[in-house]
Amino acid sequence: MAAVSVLRAGDEKFHYSDGSHRWTAPDPEYDQEVWEEQVRQHKLGHLRNERPRVRIRRIG
């Protein structure tokens, strides 16, 4: 199952151009520990807003 991200204004710094999440800060001077917490919070935001877009029915 693939994850899908919906980019919102201001989310660009957390994503690469393919929509995947950045694991390292884009600026080498940025505090990596702070960055990791920001990414964690950002990803939690995706999960809170996640809604199924299709209904899956089992056959059989």
PDB file of all heavy atoms in Angstrom, residues 22-60:
ATOM      1  N   ARG A  22      10.919  14.511   3.684  1.00  0.00           N
ATOM      2  CA  ARG A  22      12.345  14.750   3.918  1.00  0.00           C
ATOM      3  C   ARG A  22      12.694  14.221   5.296  1.00  0.00           C
ATOM      4  O   ARG A  22      11.968  14.458   6.247  1.00  0.00           O
ATOM      5  CB  ARG A  22      12.643  16.249   3.907  1.00  0.00           C
ATOM      6  CG  ARG A  22      12.552  16.903   2.579  1.00  0.00           C
ATOM      7  CD  ARG A  22      12.919  18.389   2.748  1.00  0.00           C
ATOM      8  NE  ARG A  22      12.839  19.087   1.506  1.00  0.00           N
ATOM      9  CZ  ARG A  22      13.860  19.246   0.667  1.00  0.00           C
ATOM     10  NH1 ARG A  22      15.032  18.756   0.960  1.00  0.00           N
ATOM     11  NH2 ARG A  22      13.702  19.904  -0.452  1.00  0.00           N
ATOM     12  N   TRP A  23      13.814  13.534   5.407  1.00  0.00           N
ATOM     13  CA  TRP A  23      14.270  13.046   6.710  1.00  0.00           C
ATOM     14  C   TRP A  23      15.371  13.901   7.276  1.00  0.00           C
ATOM     15  O   TRP A  23      15.671  13.828   8.455  1.00  0.00           O
ATOM     16  CB  TRP A  23      14.716  11.594   6.603  1.00  0.00           C
ATOM     17  CG  TRP A  23      13.581  10.713   6.228  1.00  0.00           C
ATOM     18  CD1 TRP A  23      13.368  10.112   5.021  1.00  0.00           C
ATOM     19  CD2 TRP A  23      12.456  10.357   7.044  1.00  0.00           C
ATOM     20  NE1 TRP A  23      12.194   9.414   5.039  1.00  0.00           N
ATOM     21  CE2 TRP A  23      11.618   9.533   6.266  1.00  0.00           C
ATOM     22  CE3 TRP A  23      12.082  10.657   8.344  1.00  0.00           C
ATOM     23  CZ2 TRP A  23      10.427   9.017   6.767  1.00  0.00           C
ATOM     24  CZ3 TRP A  23      10.896  10.131   8.834  1.00  0.00           C
ATOM     25  CH2 TRP A  23      10.083   9.318   8.045  1.00  0.00           C
ATOM     26  N   THR A  24      15.989  14.712   6.424  1.00  0.00           N
ATOM     27  CA  THR A  24      17.020  15.630   6.902  1.00  0.00           C
ATOM     28  C   THR A  24      16.614  17.045   6.524  1.00  0.00           C
ATOM     29  O   THR A  24      15.968  17.267   5.499  1.00  0.00           O
ATOM     30  CB  THR A  24      18.404  15.319   6.283  1.00  0.00           C
ATOM     31  OG1 THR A  24      18.295  15.355   4.868  1.00  0.00           O
ATOM     32  CG2 THR A  24      18.910  13.964   6.732  1.00  0.00           C
ATOM     33  N   ALA A  25      16.982  17.985   7.356  1.00  0.00           N
ATOM     34  CA  ALA A  25      16.622  19.384   7.109  1.00  0.00           C
ATOM     35  C   ALA A  25      17.262  19.879   5.822  1.00  0.00           C
ATOM     36  O   ALA A  25      18.397  19.519   5.516  1.00  0.00           O
ATOM     37  CB  ALA A  25      17.078  20.233   8.281  1.00  0.00           C
ATOM     38  N   PRO A  26      16.543  20.718   5.048  1.00  0.00           N
ATOM     39  CA  PRO A  26      17.121  21.231   3.801  1.00  0.00           C
ATOM     40  C   PRO A  26      18.304  22.166   4.033  1.00  0.00           C
ATOM     41  O   PRO A  26      19.144  22.321   3.170  1.00  0.00           O
ATOM     42  CB  PRO A  26      15.961  21.961   3.134  1.00  0.00           C
ATOM     43  CG  PRO A  26      14.882  22.077   4.138  1.00  0.00           C
ATOM     44  CD  PRO A  26      15.166  21.116   5.248  1.00  0.00           C
ATOM     45  N   ASP A  27      18.382  22.761   5.219  1.00  0.00           N
ATOM     46  CA  ASP A  27      19.479  23.669   5.560  1.00  0.00           C
ATOM     47  C   ASP A  27      20.419  22.949   6.528  1.00  0.00           C
ATOM     48  O   ASP A  27      20.008  22.544   7.609  1.00  0.00           O
ATOM     49  CB  ASP A  27      18.911  24.927   6.217  1.00  0.00           C
ATOM     50  CG  ASP A  27      19.972  25.919   6.657  1.00  0.00           C
ATOM     51  OD1 ASP A  27      21.179  25.650   6.464  1.00  0.00           O
ATOM     52  OD2 ASP A  27      19.583  26.962   7.196  1.00  0.00           O
ATOM     53  N   PRO A  28      21.695  22.766   6.168  1.00  0.00           N
ATOM     54  CA  PRO A  28      22.621  22.032   7.044  1.00  0.00           C
ATOM     55  C   PRO A  28      22.822  22.689   8.410  1.00  0.00           C
ATOM     56  O   PRO A  28      23.242  22.039   9.359  1.00  0.00           O
ATOM     57  CB  PRO A  28      23.927  21.984   6.255  1.00  0.00           C
ATOM     58  CG  PRO A  28      23.763  22.852   5.084  1.00  0.00           C
ATOM     59  CD  PRO A  28      22.313  23.203   4.933  1.00  0.00           C
ATOM     60  N   GLU A  29      22.518  23.976   8.534  1.00  0.00           N
ATOM     61  CA  GLU A  29      22.663  24.678   9.805  1.00  0.00           C
ATOM     62  C   GLU A  29      21.460  24.471  10.731  1.00  0.00           C
ATOM     63  O   GLU A  29      21.488  24.866  11.885  1.00  0.00           O
ATOM     64  CB  GLU A  29      22.844  26.187   9.551  1.00  0.00           C
ATOM     65  CG  GLU A  29      24.084  26.521   8.744  1.00  0.00           C
ATOM     66  CD  GLU A  29      25.362  26.136   9.486  1.00  0.00           C
ATOM     67  OE1 GLU A  29      25.455  26.403  10.691  1.00  0.00           O
ATOM     68  OE2 GLU A  29      26.264  25.563   8.836  1.00  0.00           O
ATOM     69  N   TYR A  30      20.400  23.860  10.213  1.00  0.00           N
ATOM     70  CA  TYR A  30      19.175  23.657  10.986  1.00  0.00           C
ATOM     71  C   TYR A  30      19.401  22.569  12.031  1.00  0.00           C
ATOM     72  O   TYR A  30      20.051  21.563  11.752  1.00  0.00           O
ATOM     73  CB  TYR A  30      18.051  23.235  10.035  1.00  0.00           C
ATOM     74  CG  TYR A  30      16.662  23.551  10.520  1.00  0.00           C
ATOM     75  CD1 TYR A  30      16.016  24.690  10.095  1.00  0.00           C
ATOM     76  CD2 TYR A  30      16.001  22.697  11.397  1.00  0.00           C
ATOM     77  CE1 TYR A  30      14.736  24.983  10.527  1.00  0.00           C
ATOM     78  CE2 TYR A  30      14.725  22.987  11.837  1.00  0.00           C
ATOM     79  CZ  TYR A  30      14.092  24.131  11.393  1.00  0.00           C
ATOM     80  OH  TYR A  30      12.829  24.410  11.832  1.00  0.00           O
ATOM     81  N   ASP A  31      18.868  22.742  13.219  1.00  0.00           N
ATOM     82  CA  ASP A  31      18.998  21.755  14.296  1.00  0.00           C
ATOM     83  C   ASP A  31      18.236  20.487  13.899  1.00  0.00           C
ATOM     84  O   ASP A  31      17.014  20.496  13.786  1.00  0.00           O
ATOM     85  CB  ASP A  31      18.424  22.347  15.583  1.00  0.00           C
ATOM     86  CG  ASP A  31      18.574  21.424  16.782  1.00  0.00           C
ATOM     87  OD1 ASP A  31      18.575  20.186  16.616  1.00  0.00           O
ATOM     88  OD2 ASP A  31      18.674  21.966  17.901  1.00  0.00           O
ATOM     89  N   GLN A  32      18.959  19.387  13.676  1.00  0.00           N
ATOM     90  CA  GLN A  32      18.345  18.147  13.187  1.00  0.00           C
ATOM     91  C   GLN A  32      17.293  17.605  14.157  1.00  0.00           C
ATOM     92  O   GLN A  32      16.266  17.088  13.738  1.00  0.00           O
ATOM     93  CB  GLN A  32      19.422  17.084  12.917  1.00  0.00           C
ATOM     94  CG  GLN A  32      18.889  15.815  12.278  1.00  0.00           C
ATOM     95  CD  GLN A  32      18.308  16.028  10.889  1.00  0.00           C
ATOM     96  OE1 GLN A  32      18.836  16.801  10.097  1.00  0.00           O
ATOM     97  NE2 GLN A  32      17.218  15.356  10.593  1.00  0.00           N
ATOM     98  N   GLU A  33      17.527  17.734  15.438  1.00  0.00           N
ATOM     99  CA  GLU A  33      16.566  17.240  16.428  1.00  0.00           C
ATOM    100  C   GLU A  33      15.239  18.011  16.338  1.00  0.00           C
ATOM    101  O   GLU A  33      14.159  17.426  16.381  1.00  0.00           O
ATOM    102  CB  GLU A  33      17.157  17.380  17.831  1.00  0.00           C
ATOM    103  CG  GLU A  33      16.666  16.321  18.792  1.00  0.00           C
ATOM    104  CD  GLU A  33      17.462  16.376  20.088  1.00  0.00           C
ATOM    105  OE1 GLU A  33      18.697  16.205  20.043  1.00  0.00           O
ATOM    106  OE2 GLU A  33      16.817  16.601  21.128  1.00  0.00           O
ATOM    107  N   VAL A  34      15.342  19.312  16.181  1.00  0.00           N
ATOM    108  CA  VAL A  34      14.141  20.144  16.025  1.00  0.00           C
ATOM    109  C   VAL A  34      13.440  19.776  14.726  1.00  0.00           C
ATOM    110  O   VAL A  34      12.217  19.633  14.675  1.00  0.00           O
ATOM    111  CB  VAL A  34      14.516  21.646  16.039  1.00  0.00           C
ATOM    112  CG1 VAL A  34      13.333  22.515  15.651  1.00  0.00           C
ATOM    113  CG2 VAL A  34      15.052  22.040  17.405  1.00  0.00           C
ATOM    114  N   TRP A  35      14.219  19.594  13.664  1.00  0.00           N
ATOM    115  CA  TRP A  35      13.656  19.225  12.362  1.00  0.00           C
ATOM    116  C   TRP A  35      12.882  17.913  12.456  1.00  0.00           C
ATOM    117  O   TRP A  35      11.773  17.795  11.950  1.00  0.00           O
ATOM    118  CB  TRP A  35      14.771  19.109  11.323  1.00  0.00           C
ATOM    119  CG  TRP A  35      14.267  18.600  10.012  1.00  0.00           C
ATOM    120  CD1 TRP A  35      14.394  17.337   9.527  1.00  0.00           C
ATOM    121  CD2 TRP A  35      13.530  19.330   9.042  1.00  0.00           C
ATOM    122  NE1 TRP A  35      13.778  17.239   8.314  1.00  0.00           N
ATOM    123  CE2 TRP A  35      13.241  18.447   7.993  1.00  0.00           C
ATOM    124  CE3 TRP A  35      13.078  20.643   8.956  1.00  0.00           C
ATOM    125  CZ2 TRP A  35      12.519  18.846   6.860  1.00  0.00           C
ATOM    126  CZ3 TRP A  35      12.366  21.036   7.832  1.00  0.00           C
ATOM    127  CH2 TRP A  35      12.097  20.141   6.800  1.00  0.00           C
ATOM    128  N   GLU A  36      13.468  16.903  13.097  1.00  0.00           N
ATOM    129  CA  GLU A  36      12.812  15.604  13.210  1.00  0.00           C
ATOM    130  C   GLU A  36      11.476  15.713  13.948  1.00  0.00           C
ATOM    131  O   GLU A  36      10.503  15.064  13.573  1.00  0.00           O
ATOM    132  CB  GLU A  36      13.730  14.602  13.899  1.00  0.00           C
ATOM    133  CG  GLU A  36      14.882  14.183  13.003  1.00  0.00           C
ATOM    134  CD  GLU A  36      15.958  13.400  13.723  1.00  0.00           C
ATOM    135  OE1 GLU A  36      15.814  13.121  14.933  1.00  0.00           O
ATOM    136  OE2 GLU A  36      16.959  13.063  13.064  1.00  0.00           O
ATOM    137  N   GLU A  37      11.412  16.549  14.966  1.00  0.00           N
ATOM    138  CA  GLU A  37      10.143  16.758  15.682  1.00  0.00           C
ATOM    139  C   GLU A  37       9.130  17.456  14.784  1.00  0.00           C
ATOM    140  O   GLU A  37       7.948  17.106  14.782  1.00  0.00           O
ATOM    141  CB  GLU A  37      10.368  17.564  16.966  1.00  0.00           C
ATOM    142  CG  GLU A  37       9.096  17.863  17.726  1.00  0.00           C
ATOM    143  CD  GLU A  37       8.324  16.628  18.178  1.00  0.00           C
ATOM    144  OE1 GLU A  37       8.898  15.523  18.279  1.00  0.00           O
ATOM    145  OE2 GLU A  37       7.110  16.781  18.452  1.00  0.00           O
ATOM    146  N   GLN A  38       9.571  18.420  13.994  1.00  0.00           N
ATOM    147  CA  GLN A  38       8.659  19.097  13.068  1.00  0.00           C
ATOM    148  C   GLN A  38       8.114  18.121  12.034  1.00  0.00           C
ATOM    149  O   GLN A  38       6.921  18.158  11.715  1.00  0.00           O
ATOM    150  CB  GLN A  38       9.366  20.260  12.372  1.00  0.00           C
ATOM    151  CG  GLN A  38       9.627  21.420  13.291  1.00  0.00           C
ATOM    152  CD  GLN A  38      10.376  22.526  12.583  1.00  0.00           C
ATOM    153  OE1 GLN A  38      11.277  22.282  11.774  1.00  0.00           O
ATOM    154  NE2 GLN A  38      10.014  23.760  12.892  1.00  0.00           N
ATOM    155  N   VAL A  39       8.975  17.253  11.502  1.00  0.00           N
ATOM    156  CA  VAL A  39       8.530  16.253  10.527  1.00  0.00           C
ATOM    157  C   VAL A  39       7.532  15.302  11.187  1.00  0.00           C
ATOM    158  O   VAL A  39       6.499  14.970  10.610  1.00  0.00           O
ATOM    159  CB  VAL A  39       9.717  15.475   9.920  1.00  0.00           C
ATOM    160  CG1 VAL A  39       9.248  14.291   9.092  1.00  0.00           C
ATOM    161  CG2 VAL A  39      10.582  16.400   9.075  1.00  0.00           C
ATOM    162  N   ARG A  40       7.817  14.870  12.414  1.00  0.00           N
ATOM    163  CA  ARG A  40       6.905  13.972  13.131  1.00  0.00           C
ATOM    164  C   ARG A  40       5.529  14.621  13.293  1.00  0.00           C
ATOM    165  O   ARG A  40       4.506  14.005  13.011  1.00  0.00           O
ATOM    166  CB  ARG A  40       7.492  13.615  14.496  1.00  0.00           C
ATOM    167  CG  ARG A  40       6.740  12.529  15.231  1.00  0.00           C
ATOM    168  CD  ARG A  40       7.380  12.235  16.581  1.00  0.00           C
ATOM    169  NE  ARG A  40       7.039  13.219  17.585  1.00  0.00           N
ATOM    170  CZ  ARG A  40       5.839  13.320  18.181  1.00  0.00           C
ATOM    171  NH1 ARG A  40       4.888  12.484  17.867  1.00  0.00           N
ATOM    172  NH2 ARG A  40       5.612  14.237  19.077  1.00  0.00           N
ATOM    173  N   GLN A  41       5.508  15.877  13.708  1.00  0.00           N
ATOM    174  CA  GLN A  41       4.239  16.591  13.874  1.00  0.00           C
ATOM    175  C   GLN A  41       3.520  16.745  12.528  1.00  0.00           C
ATOM    176  O   GLN A  41       2.302  16.609  12.442  1.00  0.00           O
ATOM    177  CB  GLN A  41       4.470  17.965  14.504  1.00  0.00           C
ATOM    178  CG  GLN A  41       4.943  17.914  15.928  1.00  0.00           C
ATOM    179  CD  GLN A  41       3.896  17.335  16.868  1.00  0.00           C
ATOM    180  OE1 GLN A  41       2.703  17.549  16.703  1.00  0.00           O
ATOM    181  NE2 GLN A  41       4.357  16.588  17.854  1.00  0.00           N
ATOM    182  N   HIS A  42       4.282  17.034  11.490  1.00  0.00           N
ATOM    183  CA  HIS A  42       3.715  17.187  10.150  1.00  0.00           C
ATOM    184  C   HIS A  42       3.058  15.884   9.686  1.00  0.00           C
ATOM    185  O   HIS A  42       1.934  15.881   9.189  1.00  0.00           O
ATOM    186  CB  HIS A  42       4.826  17.605   9.185  1.00  0.00           C
ATOM    187  CG  HIS A  42       4.432  17.615   7.761  1.00  0.00           C
ATOM    188  ND1 HIS A  42       3.677  18.618   7.210  1.00  0.00           N
ATOM    189  CD2 HIS A  42       4.670  16.731   6.771  1.00  0.00           C
ATOM    190  CE1 HIS A  42       3.471  18.342   5.935  1.00  0.00           C
ATOM    191  NE2 HIS A  42       4.066  17.214   5.643  1.00  0.00           N
ATOM    192  N   LYS A  43       3.761  14.772   9.890  1.00  0.00           N
ATOM    193  CA  LYS A  43       3.213  13.477   9.482  1.00  0.00           C
ATOM    194  C   LYS A  43       1.976  13.105  10.297  1.00  0.00           C
ATOM    195  O   LYS A  43       1.026  12.551   9.769  1.00  0.00           O
ATOM    196  CB  LYS A  43       4.293  12.408   9.587  1.00  0.00           C
ATOM    197  CG  LYS A  43       5.365  12.573   8.514  1.00  0.00           C
ATOM    198  CD  LYS A  43       6.507  11.628   8.698  1.00  0.00           C
ATOM    199  CE  LYS A  43       6.099  10.220   8.413  1.00  0.00           C
ATOM    200  NZ  LYS A  43       7.196   9.265   8.577  1.00  0.00           N
ATOM    201  N   LEU A  44       1.976  13.437  11.580  1.00  0.00           N
ATOM    202  CA  LEU A  44       0.782  13.200  12.400  1.00  0.00           C
ATOM    203  C   LEU A  44      -0.400  13.993  11.858  1.00  0.00           C
ATOM    204  O   LEU A  44      -1.537  13.523  11.890  1.00  0.00           O
ATOM    205  CB  LEU A  44       1.044  13.561  13.861  1.00  0.00           C
ATOM    206  CG  LEU A  44       1.901  12.583  14.643  1.00  0.00           C
ATOM    207  CD1 LEU A  44       2.227  13.153  16.029  1.00  0.00           C
ATOM    208  CD2 LEU A  44       1.222  11.239  14.778  1.00  0.00           C
ATOM    209  N   GLY A  45      -0.136  15.190  11.359  1.00  0.00           N
ATOM    210  CA  GLY A  45      -1.194  15.994  10.740  1.00  0.00           C
ATOM    211  C   GLY A  45      -1.794  15.289   9.543  1.00  0.00           C
ATOM    212  O   GLY A  45      -3.004  15.314   9.334  1.00  0.00           O
ATOM    213  N   HIS A  46      -0.955  14.635   8.739  1.00  0.00           N
ATOM    214  CA  HIS A  46      -1.465  13.855   7.609  1.00  0.00           C
ATOM    215  C   HIS A  46      -2.381  12.742   8.115  1.00  0.00           C
ATOM    216  O   HIS A  46      -3.446  12.509   7.563  1.00  0.00           O
ATOM    217  CB  HIS A  46      -0.319  13.192   6.825  1.00  0.00           C
ATOM    218  CG  HIS A  46       0.400  14.108   5.894  1.00  0.00           C
ATOM    219  ND1 HIS A  46      -0.192  14.743   4.840  1.00  0.00           N
ATOM    220  CD2 HIS A  46       1.699  14.489   5.864  1.00  0.00           C
ATOM    221  CE1 HIS A  46       0.696  15.462   4.197  1.00  0.00           C
ATOM    222  NE2 HIS A  46       1.859  15.324   4.798  1.00  0.00           N
ATOM    223  N   LEU A  47      -1.943  12.042   9.139  1.00  0.00           N
ATOM    224  CA  LEU A  47      -2.720  10.913   9.650  1.00  0.00           C
ATOM    225  C   LEU A  47      -4.055  11.362  10.242  1.00  0.00           C
ATOM    226  O   LEU A  47      -5.064  10.694  10.071  1.00  0.00           O
ATOM    227  CB  LEU A  47      -1.909  10.143  10.692  1.00  0.00           C
ATOM    228  CG  LEU A  47      -0.672   9.441  10.163  1.00  0.00           C
ATOM    229  CD1 LEU A  47       0.135   8.847  11.309  1.00  0.00           C
ATOM    230  CD2 LEU A  47      -1.050   8.358   9.164  1.00  0.00           C
ATOM    231  N   ARG A  48      -4.073  12.489  10.931  1.00  0.00           N
ATOM    232  CA  ARG A  48      -5.327  12.997  11.506  1.00  0.00           C
ATOM    233  C   ARG A  48      -6.323  13.368  10.431  1.00  0.00           C
ATOM    234  O   ARG A  48      -7.524  13.244  10.617  1.00  0.00           O
ATOM    235  CB  ARG A  48      -5.054  14.214  12.385  1.00  0.00           C
ATOM    236  CG  ARG A  48      -4.555  13.874  13.765  1.00  0.00           C
ATOM    237  CD  ARG A  48      -4.574  15.087  14.669  1.00  0.00           C
ATOM    238  NE  ARG A  48      -3.752  16.178  14.167  1.00  0.00           N
ATOM    239  CZ  ARG A  48      -2.473  16.355  14.469  1.00  0.00           C
ATOM    240  NH1 ARG A  48      -1.849  15.524  15.261  1.00  0.00           N
ATOM    241  NH2 ARG A  48      -1.805  17.373  13.973  1.00  0.00           N
ATOM    242  N   ASN A  49      -5.823  13.846   9.299  1.00  0.00           N
ATOM    243  CA  ASN A  49      -6.701  14.300   8.218  1.00  0.00           C
ATOM    244  C   ASN A  49      -6.976  13.228   7.182  1.00  0.00           C
ATOM    245  O   ASN A  49      -7.622  13.486   6.174  1.00  0.00           O
ATOM    246  CB  ASN A  49      -6.100  15.534   7.534  1.00  0.00           C
ATOM    247  CG  ASN A  49      -6.040  16.710   8.470  1.00  0.00           C
ATOM    248  OD1 ASN A  49      -6.964  16.933   9.237  1.00  0.00           O
ATOM    249  ND2 ASN A  49      -4.953  17.452   8.422  1.00  0.00           N
ATOM    250  N   GLU A  50      -6.451  12.032   7.425  1.00  0.00           N
ATOM    251  CA  GLU A  50      -6.585  10.960   6.452  1.00  0.00           C
ATOM    252  C   GLU A  50      -7.994  10.401   6.459  1.00  0.00           C
ATOM    253  O   GLU A  50      -8.545  10.067   7.497  1.00  0.00           O
ATOM    254  CB  GLU A  50      -5.577   9.861   6.805  1.00  0.00           C
ATOM    255  CG  GLU A  50      -5.429   8.812   5.756  1.00  0.00           C
ATOM    256  CD  GLU A  50      -4.328   7.850   6.124  1.00  0.00           C
ATOM    257  OE1 GLU A  50      -4.556   7.002   6.990  1.00  0.00           O
ATOM    258  OE2 GLU A  50      -3.240   7.973   5.557  1.00  0.00           O
ATOM    259  N   ARG A  51      -8.582  10.328   5.298  1.00  0.00           N
ATOM    260  CA  ARG A  51      -9.914   9.739   5.148  1.00  0.00           C
ATOM    261  C   ARG A  51      -9.869   8.779   3.968  1.00  0.00           C
ATOM    262  O   ARG A  51      -9.275   9.099   2.938  1.00  0.00           O
ATOM    263  CB  ARG A  51     -10.942  10.824   4.869  1.00  0.00           C
ATOM    264  CG  ARG A  51     -11.146  11.744   6.025  1.00  0.00           C
ATOM    265  CD  ARG A  51     -12.354  12.633   5.788  1.00  0.00           C
ATOM    266  NE  ARG A  51     -12.516  13.495   6.935  1.00  0.00           N
ATOM    267  CZ  ARG A  51     -12.400  14.801   6.899  1.00  0.00           C
ATOM    268  NH1 ARG A  51     -12.149  15.405   5.768  1.00  0.00           N
ATOM    269  NH2 ARG A  51     -12.550  15.511   7.987  1.00  0.00           N
ATOM    270  N   PRO A  52     -10.515   7.647   4.104  1.00  0.00           N
ATOM    271  CA  PRO A  52     -10.539   6.725   2.964  1.00  0.00           C
ATOM    272  C   PRO A  52     -11.234   7.374   1.767  1.00  0.00           C
ATOM    273  O   PRO A  52     -12.263   8.009   1.935  1.00  0.00           O
ATOM    274  CB  PRO A  52     -11.329   5.529   3.464  1.00  0.00           C
ATOM    275  CG  PRO A  52     -11.593   5.752   4.894  1.00  0.00           C
ATOM    276  CD  PRO A  52     -11.232   7.154   5.243  1.00  0.00           C
ATOM    277  N   ARG A  53     -10.660   7.225   0.605  1.00  0.00           N
ATOM    278  CA  ARG A  53     -11.252   7.812  -0.603  1.00  0.00           C
ATOM    279  C   ARG A  53     -12.061   6.811  -1.396  1.00  0.00           C
ATOM    280  O   ARG A  53     -12.810   7.195  -2.282  1.00  0.00           O
ATOM    281  CB  ARG A  53     -10.165   8.404  -1.469  1.00  0.00           C
ATOM    282  CG  ARG A  53      -9.482   9.548  -0.757  1.00  0.00           C
ATOM    283  CD  ARG A  53      -8.459  10.195  -1.594  1.00  0.00           C
ATOM    284  NE  ARG A  53      -7.831  11.224  -0.763  1.00  0.00           N
ATOM    285  CZ  ARG A  53      -7.114  12.183  -1.232  1.00  0.00           C
ATOM    286  NH1 ARG A  53      -6.905  12.269  -2.509  1.00  0.00           N
ATOM    287  NH2 ARG A  53      -6.593  13.075  -0.436  1.00  0.00           N
ATOM    288  N   VAL A  54     -11.880   5.545  -1.088  1.00  0.00           N
ATOM    289  CA  VAL A  54     -12.651   4.501  -1.771  1.00  0.00           C
ATOM    290  C   VAL A  54     -13.158   3.511  -0.733  1.00  0.00           C
ATOM    291  O   VAL A  54     -12.575   3.344   0.320  1.00  0.00           O
ATOM    292  CB  VAL A  54     -11.806   3.746  -2.825  1.00  0.00           C
ATOM    293  CG1 VAL A  54     -11.369   4.660  -3.933  1.00  0.00           C
ATOM    294  CG2 VAL A  54     -10.626   3.068  -2.187  1.00  0.00           C
ATOM    295  N   ARG A  55     -14.244   2.879  -1.057  1.00  0.00           N
ATOM    296  CA  ARG A  55     -14.762   1.836  -0.193  1.00  0.00           C
ATOM    297  C   ARG A  55     -14.273   0.505  -0.751  1.00  0.00           C
ATOM    298  O   ARG A  55     -14.417   0.228  -1.931  1.00  0.00           O
ATOM    299  CB  ARG A  55     -16.285   1.855  -0.165  1.00  0.00           C
ATOM    300  CG  ARG A  55     -16.835   0.791   0.764  1.00  0.00           C
ATOM    301  CD  ARG A  55     -18.293   0.600   0.573  1.00  0.00           C
ATOM    302  NE  ARG A  55     -19.030   1.618   1.289  1.00  0.00           N
ATOM    303  CZ  ARG A  55     -20.348   1.663   1.319  1.00  0.00           C
ATOM    304  NH1 ARG A  55     -21.051   0.779   0.652  1.00  0.00           N
ATOM    305  NH2 ARG A  55     -20.966   2.583   1.998  1.00  0.00           N
ATOM    306  N   ILE A  56     -13.686  -0.301   0.111  1.00  0.00           N
ATOM    307  CA  ILE A  56     -13.173  -1.602  -0.304  1.00  0.00           C
ATOM    308  C   ILE A  56     -14.166  -2.665   0.133  1.00  0.00           C
ATOM    309  O   ILE A  56     -14.551  -2.725   1.296  1.00  0.00           O
ATOM    310  CB  ILE A  56     -11.784  -1.871   0.304  1.00  0.00           C
ATOM    311  CG1 ILE A  56     -10.812  -0.800  -0.176  1.00  0.00           C
ATOM    312  CG2 ILE A  56     -11.301  -3.279  -0.053  1.00  0.00           C
ATOM    313  CD1 ILE A  56      -9.462  -0.852   0.504  1.00  0.00           C
ATOM    314  N   ARG A  57     -14.590  -3.484  -0.820  1.00  0.00           N
ATOM    315  CA  ARG A  57     -15.514  -4.565  -0.511  1.00  0.00           C
ATOM    316  C   ARG A  57     -14.835  -5.884  -0.817  1.00  0.00           C
ATOM    317  O   ARG A  57     -14.204  -6.045  -1.865  1.00  0.00           O
ATOM    318  CB  ARG A  57     -16.782  -4.451  -1.356  1.00  0.00           C
ATOM    319  CG  ARG A  57     -17.600  -3.235  -0.987  1.00  0.00           C
ATOM    320  CD  ARG A  57     -18.798  -3.060  -1.879  1.00  0.00           C
ATOM    321  NE  ARG A  57     -19.608  -4.261  -1.914  1.00  0.00           N
ATOM    322  CZ  ARG A  57     -20.511  -4.516  -2.836  1.00  0.00           C
ATOM    323  NH1 ARG A  57     -20.728  -3.656  -3.799  1.00  0.00           N
ATOM    324  NH2 ARG A  57     -21.209  -5.621  -2.799  1.00  0.00           N
ATOM    325  N   ARG A  58     -14.974  -6.813   0.070  1.00  0.00           N
ATOM    326  CA  ARG A  58     -14.434  -8.158  -0.165  1.00  0.00           C
ATOM    327  C   ARG A  58     -15.444  -8.971  -0.956  1.00  0.00           C
ATOM    328  O   ARG A  58     -16.632  -8.924  -0.670  1.00  0.00           O
ATOM    329  CB  ARG A  58     -14.131  -8.851   1.150  1.00  0.00           C
ATOM    330  CG  ARG A  58     -12.992  -8.205   1.894  1.00  0.00           C
ATOM    331  CD  ARG A  58     -12.586  -9.089   3.053  1.00  0.00           C
ATOM    332  NE  ARG A  58     -11.605  -8.422   3.874  1.00  0.00           N
ATOM    333  CZ  ARG A  58     -10.293  -8.522   3.695  1.00  0.00           C
ATOM    334  NH1 ARG A  58      -9.812  -9.270   2.736  1.00  0.00           N
ATOM    335  NH2 ARG A  58      -9.455  -7.888   4.479  1.00  0.00           N
ATOM    336  N   ILE A  59     -14.949  -9.690  -1.910  1.00  0.00           N
ATOM    337  CA  ILE A  59     -15.800 -10.560  -2.715  1.00  0.00           C
ATOM    338  C   ILE A  59     -15.534 -11.988  -2.293  1.00  0.00           C
ATOM    339  O   ILE A  59     -14.400 -12.438  -2.252  1.00  0.00           O
ATOM    340  CB  ILE A  59     -15.513 -10.389  -4.225  1.00  0.00           C
ATOM    341  CG1 ILE A  59     -15.784  -8.941  -4.613  1.00  0.00           C
ATOM    342  CG2 ILE A  59     -16.353 -11.353  -5.035  1.00  0.00           C
ATOM    343  CD1 ILE A  59     -15.424  -8.621  -6.021  1.00  0.00           C
ATOM    344  N   GLY A  60     -16.614 -12.704  -1.993  1.00  0.00           N
ATOM    345  CA  GLY A  60     -16.432 -14.108  -1.690  1.00  0.00           C
ATOM    346  C   GLY A  60     -16.717 -14.486  -0.339  1.00  0.00           C
ATOM    347  O   GLY A  60     -16.827 -14.597   0.668  1.00  0.00           O
TER     348      GLY A  60
END
